[in-house]
Amino acid sequence: MKTIIFQALLVIHISFICFFTAARGQSDSSSSVVVAAYNVSAPAGSSVTLQCVSGRMVWTRDRLRDRQRVVHWDVYRAHMDYGMERVLDMYSAGEQRIYNSYNLDRVGLSRKAFRDGNFSLVIKDVTMNDRGLYSCNLHHLYCHLYETVRVQLNVTKSRRKEQRYWDGHKAVYVVLLGSTVVLPCVNRRNIWTDWSNEEEDQQVVHWDRQSPGIHHDRADRLVDLYASGEQRSYGPSFLRKKMNISQQAFADGDFSLTISDLQATDQGMYSCHLHHHYCGLHERRQFQVTVDAPLIHTKPEKALPSADKDEGNKADPPRVINVVLPDQRHHFLMPLGFVLTAFLLLAFIVLLIILITRRRRTMELYSVASMRSNRSRSSSDEFEMEVSGATPPIREQEDLFDFKNNLLKEVNINTPCKVIDLDKEMQKCCK
């Protein structure tokens, strides 16, 4: 009972999502979406071009539209050696192509897939070999649309284990062995429906202008340009002449609007609307145009004619001002060179101071030494003079010598075995 309720809620939830997606796609296709907004400012009297370029609007007269829309289903089996396998593909105006003969009359799509946008894959008599990760790839080459839907298919032998749920990245289907399963792939956008044979009627570009204070619903239409080459201009004749679009717009994808002789009355909000109903493209680009003061061109003042004709005929020599701009690549080496130069200059000054100091010290030492040598010489002369002055006369010396000899004889006679200090004995005798 719980399983049935869960499956019913899941089906309701999936249906609601599909309906909401379809409704949102239809609402988006019915109104333009603002994809860019610009502020443009130009001086009065000049010409300005409002750039509006789109590569998706390039007009091509390709009649092979049956090869432009294609859907193909692939399956990736983790338990198989060859991995990815193409199941089938189908073009908008062609038959289905099934790649494996085993899947003939067992796998297929609805014949109305490109009309109702339902590309779900139907698999009959499910086997264990059908397990894997399936991907539905939708390609619209002409409109540059590429979408992918993934579904995980698991097979069980128990009816109680059948279930369908969302694992956060993809839908997971657990089906009973031998039953029929429908893997969903739905895209109901009108891009997949070819309801018109004339593509010229499906592409159109138009420019609108909103004056300041006017709502965008009441904007004035300026230009309409169709892919067939038809162009319609609106408003006064002078406005038609100054605002135009290139005739090669759909060939180049450049739908820019050129405004000549810009005036203050031209400012406002300009809108470029791109509509490609066949591809589901509805875009709008907005430009806020502001007109500045006109440029004033001043004429150079003419010099008064000189009284001297010769001087007036001479041309003034050109004044040349040489400006040396530093190379940006060496902006780091220049301050480094200044620092090194300053450092070397400082070192030279310090070395010069040291040399001068040493020279002064050497001169001081030399003067002191010379003064000492002079002092020593004078003292030696004085000592010699004192010694020479202190020597007794020759006569007194002879008397002293005789006295010593007599004393020595007396002492030797009285004390023959003693060592006699003659000077001491003389001092005693003198006392």
Side-chain angles (χ1 to χ4, degrees), residues 353-395:
I353 292 172
I354 292 173
L355 292 176
I356 293 172
T357 305
R358 287 187 176 181
R359 185 174 181 83
R360 287 183 177 179
R361 288 183 179 178
T362 304
M363 293 176 66
E364 289 177 359
L365 292 175
Y366 179 76
S367 61
V368 171
S370 61
M371 291 174 65
R372 287 181 180 178
S373 62
N374 294 331
R375 289 179 182 177
S376 62
R377 289 178 183 176
S378 61
S379 61
S380 60
D381 294 338
E382 291 177 358
F383 179 74
E384 290 177 357
M385 292 174 63
E386 289 178 358
V387 171
S388 60
T391 54
I394 298 173
R395 194 170 188 179

Side-chain angles (χ1 to χ4, degrees), residues 81-148:
D81 295 336
Y82 43 85
M84 187 67 68
E85 177 185 352
R86 176 63 53 88
V87 179
L88 62 83
D89 55 25
M90 179 180 178
Y91 292 91
S92 59
E95 297 292 333
Q96 299 181 26
R97 178 167 52 180
I98 299 176
Y99 287 83
N100 194 341
S101 59
Y102 174 74
N103 292 326
L104 291 175
D105 299 329
R106 197 178 73 90
V107 176
L109 301 178
S110 172
R111 298 291 181 182
K112 300 179 180 180
F114 283 96
R115 298 180 185 176
D116 55 17
N118 189 350
F119 305 94
S120 301
L121 180 66
V122 180
I123 304 176
K124 301 177 182 179
D125 299 330
V126 177
T127 64
M128 289 296 179
N129 291 331
D130 294 328
R131 294 176 298 171
L133 178 62
Y134 289 77
S135 60
C136 174
N137 303 279
L138 303 174
H139 297 286
H140 199 312
L141 305 180
Y142 179 73
C143 297
H144 306 286
L145 176 66
Y146 305 94
E147 297 180 0
T148 300

Side-chain angles (χ1 to χ4, degrees), residues 337-350:
F338 289 126
V339 172
L340 293 177
T341 305
F343 178 76
L344 293 176
L345 183 60
L346 181 61
F348 177 75
I349 294 172
V350 172

Side-chain angles (χ1 to χ4, degrees), residues 32 54 62 66 74 97 101 111 117 140 142 149 151 161 194 209 245 248 256 259 278 295 305 318 324 338 344 351 406:
S32 299
S54 176
D62 188 1
D66 57 330
D74 297 331
R97 178 167 52 180
S101 59
R111 298 291 181 182
H140 199 312
Y142 179 73
V149 179
V151 182
K161 295 183 180 180
D194 188 9
R209 174 180 173 271
I245 307 176
Q248 301 296 324
S256 303
I259 306 175
Y278 177 70
L295 295 176
V324 180
F338 289 126
L344 293 176
L351 181 61
N406 295 328

Side-chain angles (χ1 to χ4, degrees), residues 11 31 40 90 94 117 133 166 191 207 210 223 230 285 291 318 328 335 356 361 373 395 404 409 417 426:
V11 171
S31 60
V40 180
M90 179 180 178
L133 178 62
W166 180 263
I191 187 173
W207 279 88
Q210 301 170 227
V223 181
E230 181 183 359
R285 293 166 174 79
V291 180
Q328 297 297 328
I356 293 172
R361 288 183 179 178
S373 62
R395 194 170 188 179
K404 286 182 180 181
K409 290 178 181 181
C417 297
M426 288 178 63

